[in-house]
Amino acid sequence: LAKERGRSNYQFFNERLSEAAFHALTVETRLRDAIRREQFVLHYQPQVRVDTGAVTGIEALIRWPQEDGTTVLPNDFIPIAEQRGLIMPIGAWVLRQACRQNRLWQMSGLPKLPMAVNLSAIQFKQKNLVSVVEQVLAETGLEPQYLEFELTESMLLEDMTAIAKTLEGLKALGVQLAIDDFGTGHSSLMHLKRFPIDKLKIDRTFVQDVPGDPDDVAITAAIIDLARNMGITSIAEGVEKPEQLAFLRLRGCEEMQGYLVSEALPAEAMARWLARRRGEPLTSVG
Ligand code: C2E
Ligand code: MG
Ligand code: MG
Ligand code: MG
């Protein structure tokens, strides 16, 4: 009996494996096509001050629109792109497109804001990242203080000397650096001491259950205090409810981002949102 079960498990495993492999292969082929035809789009989510509601920045988030009208979200294709060696062209496109869009908005008279771009670990490890960024800034005419990179804690773990060199190279260009999803990875406070970080993004999983969950309250408040005491900007991710905003305000979190303010919007909708918001910065939040 055990032998039989073992065998059927084996077959089941095999089927599942080939199904997953087949899926990845299909996605890979379609991704290659999408890269060639530049079929990705960026959506933009605003970041605002917790105390006044004033807009402080924008995060660029990639989307992959399909012919049937649906959209594939990054968690469903970025990991495959990373595994299949396709993240570099995608990341390069995102960087250029985000800088270009930001520059266009600035030239159209909208307020100048930093645009945050998420970096993949593979992009971050590329030897010539600093010069690639410098080149894109020069090409698009965007001033460096209006570009921000979001890194994750896992990217900061390996070769401390090499990482410090990259981060210092980016800072020397004048761009901003944020740690995304802070608190969910291998958080080492050493990183904050060692590396030139401007912003801590408090992960949505902590923000989600404040003020109800005492552990999340403790963690969120600790990150806010840590950031403040080190002169780093704190920003809460995934703020959906007025109670969360009230808590963040009470604890002195500086900035926030989330559905309570706005979801990520296509470029035209974001431009309208920014134009509208400029007239009434204090009213729409909380
Ligand atoms: P992230 O950088 O932590 O981005 C936040 C994610 O939370 C986004 O999902 C955003 O749409 C979503 N979000 C924002 N506010 C709320 C909220 O109030 N409630 C909830 N439930 N969700 C909210 P998205 O766009 O699906 O992106 C997922 C992840 O994919 C990102 O997490 C980021 O790690 C990655 N990603 C997105 N764009 C890029 C990119 O251009 N390059 C790379 N390498 N990764 C990207
Ligand atoms: Mg991010
Ligand atoms: Mg995040
Ligand atoms: Mg997150």
Side-chain angles (χ1 to χ4, degrees):
L1 191 77
K3 201 173 175 188
E4 233 168 72
R5 195 188 295 134
R7 207 177 123 217
S8 69
N9 273 348
Y10 175 74
Q11 280 180 344
F12 175 69
F13 178 69
N14 232 356
E15 257 165 49
R16 286 288 301 265
L17 193 74
S18 61
E19 218 173 273
F22 181 73
H23 174 72
L25 192 66
T26 311
V27 173
E28 179 183 346
T29 308
R30 294 177 48 248
L31 270 176
R32 284 188 192 282
D33 201 46
I35 292 165
R36 201 160 23 82
R37 303 204 235 165
E38 299 197 23
Q39 284 172 333
F40 302 100
V41 295
L42 292 182
H43 281 191
Y44 302 92
Q45 189 178 36
Q47 304 173 332
V48 305
R49 284 195 62 90
V50 166
D51 53 3
T52 64
V55 185
T56 53
I58 301 164
E59 179 174 4
L61 295 157
I62 194 170
R63 300 287 180 264
W64 184 16
Q66 304 295 298
E67 266 161 23
D68 64 5
T70 61
T71 296
V72 181
L73 291 171
N75 289 336
D76 293 325
F77 71 92
I78 292 289
I80 297 174
E82 286 173 336
Q83 284 158 26
R84 302 290 167 140
L86 297 175
I87 195 64
M88 291 301 288
I90 295 174
W93 179 84
V94 169
L95 175 61
R96 182 163 285 108
Q97 184 62 21
C99 291
R100 198 187 281 152
Q101 183 62 73
N102 200 13
R103 172 81 171 138
L104 280 174
W105 280 336
Q106 294 188 349
M107 290 192 305
S108 78
L110 287 168
K112 290 188 168 192
L113 297 166
M115 171 88 73
V117 171
N118 293 279
L119 278 188
S120 152
I122 295 162
Q123 270 180 294
F124 184 66
K125 273 189 231 158
Q126 87 185 97
K127 283 275 172 314
N128 60 348
L129 177 66
V130 177
S131 60
V132 167
V133 172
E134 186 173 26
Q135 200 182 316
V136 171
L137 287 169
E139 230 172 73
T140 57
L142 185 71
E143 295 165 276
Q145 68 266 39
Y146 299 115
L147 177 62
E148 179 171 291
F149 287 112
E150 296 194 1
L151 316 165
T152 56
E153 292 161 307
S154 60
M155 296 183 197
L156 307 178
L157 287 179
E158 282 164 38
D159 180 350
M160 293 277 272
T161 317
I163 290 160
K165 197 171 158 235
T166 303
L167 295 178
E168 278 151 22
L170 290 172
K171 282 310 296 176
L173 290 181
V175 305
Q176 305 293 311
L177 300 176
I179 301 188
D180 205 350
D181 309 331
F182 188 76
T184 58
H186 295 266
S187 309
S188 166
L189 301 183
M190 175 88 82
H191 297 149
L192 298 184
K193 191 177 149 78
R194 227 1 239 280
F195 300 141
I197 302 300
D198 302 292
K199 204 175 203 180
L200 289 187
K201 301 194 73 176
I202 308 168
D203 193 70
R204 179 163 65 83
T205 54
F206 303 124
V207 176
Q208 194 164 267
D209 295 321
V210 297
D213 183 311
D215 292 338
D216 290 320
V217 164
I219 293 168
T220 304
I223 299 175
I224 293 167
D225 289 346
L226 175 68
R228 185 193 303 111
N229 293 330
M230 295 189 76
I232 296 173
T233 300
S234 55
I235 174 164
E237 295 190 293
V239 179
E240 296 179 355
K241 301 180 202 134
E243 311 88 89
Q244 296 167 332
L245 168 58
F247 170 83
L248 295 167
R249 207 171 251 165
L250 191 71
R251 298 298 175 134
C253 184
E254 283 181 67
E255 300 180 3
M256 67 171 173
Q257 177 175 356
Y259 297 164
L260 184 64
V261 180
S262 170
E263 60 180 342
L265 301 170
E268 311 71 50
M270 187 67 218
R272 284 195 299 272
W273 189 95
L274 287 170
R276 205 167 54 234
R277 194 55 183 260
R278 179 168 47 176
E280 39 172 333
L282 294 170
T283 49
S284 329
V285 174

